[in-house]
Amino acid sequence: MLRKKTNGYTRRSGRAKITTNTSGTGVDRRGFLRGSGLAIGGLTAIAATGGTVTQATAQSAAAGAVQTIKSVCTHCSVGCTVVAEVDNGVWTGQEPGWDSPFNLGAHCAKGAAVREHAHGERRLKYPMKKEGGEWVRISWEQAIDEIGDGMLKIREESGPDSVYWLGSAKHNNEQAYLFRKFAAYWGTNNVDHQARICHSTTVAGVANTWGYGAMTNSYNDIHNSKAIFLIGGNPAEAHPVSLLHMLKAKEQNNAPLIVCDPRFTRTAAHADEYVRFRPGTDVALVWGILWHIFENGWEDQEFIRTRVWGMDQIKDEVARWTPDEVERVTGTPGSQLERVARTLANNRPGTVIWCMGGTQHTNGNNNTRAYCVLQLALGNMGTAGGGTNIFRGHDNVQGATDLGVLADTLPGYYGLSEGSWAHWARVWEEDLDYLKGRFSDATYGDTPIMNLKGIPVSRWIDGVLEDPENLEQPDNTRAMVLWGHAPNSQTRMKEMKTAMEKLDMLVVVDPFPTVSAVLHDRTDGVYLLPATTQFETRGSVTASNRSLQWRDKIMEPLFESLPDHTIMARFAEKFGFHDQIFRNIAIDEGGEPNIEDITREFNRGMWTIGYTGQSPERLKTHMAYQHTFDKTSLRAIGGPADGDYYGLPWPSWGTPEMNHPGTANLYDMSLPVAEGGLTFRARFGVERDGDNLLAEGVSNPGAEIQDGYPEFTMQMLMDLGWDGDLTAEERAAIDAVAGPNTNWKTDLSGGIQRVAIKHGCAPFGNAKARAVVWTFPDPVPVHREPLYSNRRDLVADYPTYEDKTFWRVPTMYASIQKNDFSQEYPIILTSGRLVEYEGGGDETRSNPWLAELQQDMFVEINTRDANNLNVRDGAQVWVEGPEGGKVKVMAMVTERVGEGVAFMPFHFGGQFEGVDQRDKYPEGADPYVLGESTNTAQTYGYDSVTQMQETKATLCKIWAA
């Protein structure tokens, strides 16, 4: 929200309270800095911000040369390089990475301010606990002992599943991997992280379409696009640097940019075609576009014949979506969608981009699969300039997902089956029976709890509040560990407050206290443990395009904070499995597990997605020689990484010694597999209902099988006569797993992958993408009305699902939708990002350089709606959802949102239903800017496959405060 600040400022007393939401008065720069304690003069001001000024001499200048250290921005998933200037151990300045192929010397507002994030005075400085309603400083030893004793008591009384380990997309890959391993040794699958509530429907939908659930190309590859179709995303604010790459295609290729969004965003301002549609109708919109493509014969029939299964069933569904029906459901004119379809057909290859606007729905998995089907129909997959460029949110949400910080899988998407546990037990050199003994012996149906999906983070509230008889675990959740997570990024915050108050124990591990410290009214049983930022440690991080980058440590931990992996090690020691979990990982000075050893351990186990070739040494070489990589193809031209793709985007097949270059564009049959080419994965069998599921007569250059083929096993190598290419060591390792039944995913030697690639083949087979996912509730994606729909005329035609229990918890659908809330709550409520803040906002609202830019939480209201409600621009209003949660915010009257739609950003917290909670923070740790969370008013609703929360299409009512 941009508005002119006044020329004056307001003096405020008390604890550096910068701004308030009870007044529309702006604050200028001087007033803001005065309030934050930074408006002080001369050398004192420089000292306050970490700099020094001394008289320079030639001798001191030579001795005090500033060191430059490369790291990676800790905000979004673009992966921008930050070059830190360090003077005698003090981080004194920063520059963007000019050599980085990703940010090309650019930064957004958040990236430019990360030094202040690391040096932030609002960080937690030492361990604390709530005692008698007050925050009390304690030692690390006391914290680990008290928390550990409490958890062991809960474990004894209720079992290991009653402690929930909520991880983070802010962990680096090594910490994420260790966190999932830690949960396994604790004995629970109640472990998850932010990916559940941002792109879980992407991962499920996309992986079940063609094999891998990730961005297929890259930000840089958009340079090659002849058209850009963006739906449910606002990269101008959420991923600002990515816009450089999009605009390059627009400028050099004259690529039309089509933006589909219920709101006219800052990204839409760059569009050649802006398509406004009703929130929650993505499938109808995409099928409306495909109707014109199929009607005119614009689909790529040869691509579909050779590489796609199930398109005929898609055509049957699409035929129902005539232009009139699409307009009735979405509000978008058929003539506009015909123009969009023609544009996409005439400008190939085009890319499709989406973000959380498409994922956060009760039928989000249908949305993401519909986007994939659009690209399959156009033949835009497996080619430069095409693909599905899925923009992930946090800096390492891709990596944390890959490393298995999820309730339904072990690292590498291996799942939770007996064979998956056996694989990781071999990697960990652990006795499988020991791991089984760490879990409860409960079974549900015929499934032991060790093999049962845990409760997803979107539903942890229900793990606490639900009747235990309705849960598929022995008891309720009694202790909650929020390790790098903003609770205000989740819906149903009134119920969350109740859940927090019911817990035996609430533990927050974070550089900042987060809303978890203040949302509840607890007087005890809350612990705040200060973790370092990622600038105070080292390790790898995976950008949205699957490239891994290495962060070097910029500075020593500030205050009494500890690196996350060191805290994990301390808890492991308390719980008695330290020696087991670190069997092959060295412990460095201060009890810190060696990061490079952790990297090498997951290199030894993550064969499924090719996280095996990215050794620490190769990643560090890429960071040191960023300038040698082409800025579009990402391939190194000469130098020590010659031929590699930057960051070795997974899969980087085989062992590091194989030197596979990584895979820049997934499923690209124009390149040999050894050079980054790939097929669609043979993940779903070889036939379905008598139809062939393998590719028809197409393969990569140099492949000795010029047709479709299944995934590789030792038996397949033997049948082909290729087993003679294995070394004696590889054969021995294969025999130790399962002999002829060992496959490319479980062979710890990498020999099966190496030999398959030697013969030009993809280890995971060569299949067709499937447009129809027979294992999902809706095999063919269909439109379903949101649970809280204002279109009661459409509910009968496009109803939601029946209530069901899955992911351990009962889940409501039809029992909510049958009630008509639209009369009392007539306005659709949606949410999204701002350029100034990120995630739940605790870090960025605690950064004075960002907090100054956006001081008020607000709601965007259409001009007609505002006039009908007698609401003026800048006035305070109440926004209430149909479940009774309400927020008091500033009104922004604007044409950005259409009539009948309201928008709120989701980065705010620290105010709750009109009450300021600043005094509940620990002294000096309250963010500069507080505000209501939109998720207090957001409502119940979860995806039918992944339990993704619904945040984009609920209802509300608005009135003047």
Side-chain angles (χ1 to χ4, degrees), residues 860-936:
E860 291 180 359
I861 309 172
N862 179 267
T863 305
R864 180 179 294 275
D865 292 329
N867 290 339
N868 289 339
L869 293 167
N870 196 26
V871 167
R872 299 293 298 274
D873 185 58
Q876 292 290 305
V877 296
W878 286 101
V879 182
E880 180 180 288
E883 292 172 9
K886 61 182 181 180
V887 297
K888 187 180 181 183
V889 297
M890 182 183 290
M892 180 181 183
V893 179
T894 175
E895 293 296 311
R896 289 181 187 173
V897 288
E899 186 178 345
V901 177
F903 164 89
M904 289 194 288
F906 60 77
H907 309 297
F908 290 83
Q911 293 182 356
F912 186 72
E913 296 197 308
V915 177
D916 189 291
Q917 299 177 310
R918 190 176 293 277
D919 290 337
K920 295 172 74 172
Y921 283 92
E923 186 74 25
D926 50 321
Y928 294 112
V929 170
L930 304 182
E932 296 266 17
S933 170
T934 181
N935 285 314
T936 303

Side-chain angles (χ1 to χ4, degrees), residues 8-56:
Y9 62 86
T10 305
R11 297 180 184 272
R12 303 189 187 278
S13 60
R15 296 163 49 195
K17 183 174 181 180
I18 304 307
T19 186
T20 175
N21 279 0
T22 60
S23 168
T25 304
V27 182
D28 70 359
R29 179 181 297 271
R30 181 173 296 177
F32 189 89
L33 296 182
R34 183 184 299 278
S36 63
L38 292 174
I40 43 185
L43 299 182
T44 313
I46 297 172
T49 54
T52 57
V53 174
T54 57
Q55 185 174 358

Side-chain angles (χ1 to χ4, degrees), residues 128-147:
M128 307 183 81
K129 73 171 182 177
K130 206 74 173 289
E131 192 173 81
E134 298 295 328
W135 291 110
V136 177
R137 179 177 182 174
I138 58 176
S139 68
W140 272 106
E141 292 71 24
Q142 181 182 350
I144 298 295
D145 278 344
E146 289 187 11
I147 294 167

Side-chain angles (χ1 to χ4, degrees), residues 666-705:
L666 293 176
Y667 321 121
D668 184 354
M669 281 192 170
S670 71
L671 293 173
V673 177
E675 296 178 21
L678 211 53
T679 55
F680 288 134
R681 181 177 173 184
R683 187 179 181 183
F684 316 113
V686 297
E687 68 172 23
R688 173 75 178 172
D689 298 332
D691 290 343
N692 174 38
L693 295 180
L694 300 179
E696 302 269 7
V698 290
S699 195
N700 297 82
E704 295 182 26
I705 304 175

Side-chain angles (χ1 to χ4, degrees), residues 151-341:
M151 289 183 175
L152 290 171
K153 181 173 182 289
I154 291 170
R155 181 188 177 91
E156 178 68 25
E157 294 172 353
S158 299
D161 290 291
S162 285
V163 178
Y164 196 109
W165 299 93
L166 177 51
S168 184
K170 293 303 182 192
H171 288 153
N172 62 32
N173 285 326
E174 290 70 24
Q175 293 165 340
Y177 168 78
L178 188 60
F179 193 87
R180 185 58 182 92
K181 186 179 181 183
F182 181 98
Y185 274 79
W186 172 260
T188 187
N189 294 323
N190 280 341
V191 55
D192 215 15
H193 82 291
Q194 288 91 342
R196 178 72 48 204
I197 56 174
C198 60
H199 271 290
S200 64
T201 46
T202 291
V203 174
V206 177
N208 278 281
T209 299
W210 46 56
Y212 284 151
M215 188 180 201
T216 62
N217 293 41
S218 67
Y219 296 109
N220 300 68
D221 184 65
I222 297 171
H223 304 174
N224 295 312
S225 299
K226 300 298 191 293
I228 303 169
F229 180 87
L230 171 66
I231 184 167
N234 181 18
E237 299 205 63
H239 309 82
V241 173
S242 74
L243 207 64
L244 295 177
H245 301 292
M246 295 170 63
L247 294 180
K248 183 176 178 67
K250 194 167 158 46
E251 292 161 5
Q252 75 178 15
N253 304 335
N254 200 26
L257 172 59
I258 301 161
V259 175
C260 305
D261 202 289
R263 176 174 173 255
F264 188 82
T265 63
R266 291 181 178 178
T267 307
H270 294 277
D272 298 277
E273 182 89 48
Y274 167 62
V275 180
R276 195 192 292 276
F277 66 103
R278 183 169 65 94
T281 61
D282 299 56
V283 173
L285 187 84
V286 174
W287 285 174
I289 296 169
L290 271 177
W291 187 91
H292 292 285
I293 290 172
F294 292 145
E295 186 76 6
N296 290 281
W298 293 335
E299 71 271 26
D300 188 329
Q301 296 178 8
E302 180 63 10
F303 183 89
I304 293 169
R305 183 187 72 80
T306 57
R307 300 194 68 186
V308 183
W309 179 84
M311 194 61 82
D312 287 343
Q313 295 180 57
I314 297 294
K315 287 184 175 181
D316 290 342
E317 173 64 22
V318 168
R320 301 174 51 199
W321 291 95
T322 63
D324 287 345
E325 183 63 5
V326 172
E327 184 166 1
R328 182 173 84 99
V329 172
T330 68
T332 307
S335 58
Q336 184 178 29
L337 295 187
E338 192 275 341
R339 189 165 62 245
V340 169

